Amino acid sequence: MKQTEIGYTKSKNSSQLIVKRLFDIVFSLSVLLVLSPLFLILAILIIKEDGRPVFFKQLRSGKGDISFEMYKFRSMKIKQTSEGKSKGRIYDWENGVPDDFVFKTGSIENPNITKIGKFIRKYSLDELPQFINVLKGNMSVIGPRPEIIQITKCYSPEQKLRLAVKPGITGWAQVNGRSDMVHAKKIRHDLYYVENFNLWLDLKILFKTISQVLVGKGSV
């Protein structure tokens, strides 16, 4: 796909994008209402174990490389020990993110992860607050996962094409790989979604995601 085609979704799939946005609003609102008791329980457990805040907020790159604040349930301790504490890595690639790069989020056995944090990470419950992002419009239910800004600033022109659509809670890469997927493969899956977006593909991703969550498979 040529870089000039980055805005193809507006002309080629405008009607489907309208339906997609309506689905995002209805689905995210329904999830937030139905799961509000679960949200309350998780919030209480997080506060009881390690105090406030309940949510972890981080800037991510959105559609058109516009940054936004993404929400998660907090799974790391407020006061972290030096053992297992993540050190801020500097990403300074000049010709795009290397194909063999794998983003490490840290082991589930990291001593800085809370007890409730281990549980919510295993079943991807820490991602649930992102339905607030979907309702706000800076994310979609389905789309490439939002990347951290430190990495997207190093994207090559081809890699930037994954930013042509809204990032999602789950996507084509997530239902077709593991959390240790190399960057080249993830980009290939994301660009496949950008090029082939349609509502049927979104439904397929949604149903595959639900089945994976039920068996406790982690996200990419």
Side-chain angles (χ1 to χ4, degrees), residues 4-46:
T4 53
E5 294 174 351
I6 194 168
Y8 85 102
T9 51
K10 289 185 178 179
S11 57
K12 183 180 178 181
N13 296 305
S14 58
S15 60
Q16 292 197 69
L17 286 174
I18 293 173
V19 175
K20 180 180 175 70
R21 178 57 186 154
L22 290 175
F23 172 81
D24 281 345
I25 293 173
V26 173
F27 188 81
S28 59
L29 187 58
S30 299
V31 169
L32 291 171
L33 290 174
V34 172
L35 296 185
S36 56
L38 176 60
F39 271 61
L40 180 59
I41 292 172
L42 293 178
I44 292 172
L45 291 175
I46 291 170

Side-chain angles (χ1 to χ4, degrees), residues 31-32 34-56 71-76 114-131 213:
V31 169
L32 291 171
V34 172
L35 296 185
S36 56
L38 176 60
F39 271 61
L40 180 59
I41 292 172
L42 293 178
I44 292 172
L45 291 175
I46 291 170
I47 293 173
K48 183 178 180 180
E49 180 178 357
D50 198 51
R52 297 175 184 272
V54 171
F55 296 122
F56 168 73
Y71 307 130
K72 283 189 174 185
F73 277 122
R74 182 171 62 85
S75 60
M76 301 287 285
T114 61
K115 293 179 181 178
I116 183 63
K118 291 180 181 179
F119 175 78
I120 63 177
R121 282 191 177 195
K122 179 179 179 180
Y123 292 99
S124 299
L125 297 177
D126 58 324
E127 310 284 355
L128 289 177
Q130 288 161 41
F131 282 105
V213 169

